[in-house]
Amino acid sequence: MAESAHLLGTFDEEDCTYCDGDLVTGSYKDNDAIVCDDCGTPAVQLW
């Protein structure tokens, strides 16, 4: 699980490619993910 957190952390605070929002650690469809804090689009999702 620590490897997953490290992987997700590498994308945290990057810019969203779909809008002007920032990418943050969160969840998407009950999976750990990096999502845009503005539009909610997932950039990375772990199953």
Side-chain angles (χ1 to χ4, degrees):
M1 202 59 137
E3 293 169 351
S4 297
H6 177 71
L7 175 64
L8 292 175
T10 61
F11 293 96
D12 208 15
E13 298 298 319
E14 294 290 321
D15 294 331
C16 178
T17 57
Y18 298 101
C19 73
D20 292 328
D22 291 325
L23 300 178
V24 295
T25 302
S27 64
Y28 182 77
K29 295 187 177 182
D30 295 326
N31 296 317
D32 291 335
I34 293 291
V35 296
C36 176
D37 65 352
D38 193 31
C39 70
T41 302
V44 175
Q45 182 178 188
L46 301 177
W47 286 270

